[in-house]
Amino acid sequence: MVANDYFPPWFSVAPMMDWTDNHYRTLARLISKHAWLYTEMLAAETIVYQKGNLDRFLAFSPDQHPIVLQIGGSNLENLAKATELADAYGYDEINFNCGCPSPRVAGRGCFGARLMLEPKESLLPRLFQ
């Protein structure tokens, strides 16, 4: 099943760090054939700098469609590169992280919930320039 043949989701399995890995998504798909499944949030930099090892981060079983890749980051260039690299994997949707509540994300770098402390670093002002 691919997104072109799928109506907007009534039910989604949200991205949860350390939970929505390949194994969890396989189990979730067995429970519901119609839920939209999200990957764990991946930092754009991880995708960009792991070009030779992308299957480790981006590969998934075709049974998992419809599936959404969530990418986190604040660098527009890296977000664009990561999206381009991920496109080859056939995700039904790519979602950008703009407010992850995880302490592992919020306390480090400058993306996710951390951006609330530094709104000038947020992507929004740069997206609408």
Side-chain angles (χ1 to χ4, degrees), residues 7-66:
F7 294 104
W10 287 82
F11 175 69
S12 296
V13 176
M16 298 173 285
M17 292 182 79
D18 295 329
W19 286 99
T20 53
D21 61 10
N22 236 331
H23 304 291
Y24 182 90
R25 292 191 312 267
T26 298
L27 176 63
R29 182 54 68 223
L30 290 172
I31 293 168
S32 172
K33 300 285 183 209
H34 302 288
W36 277 65
L37 302 178
Y38 281 71
T39 66
E40 296 180 272
M41 190 267 309
L42 282 172
E45 286 71 19
T46 298
I47 298 169
V48 170
Y49 299 122
Q50 292 288 328
K51 283 182 197 173
N53 196 20
L54 287 178
D55 283 355
R56 175 180 172 208
F57 300 98
L58 298 175
F60 61 92
S61 163
D63 301 354
Q64 292 182 23
H65 283 287

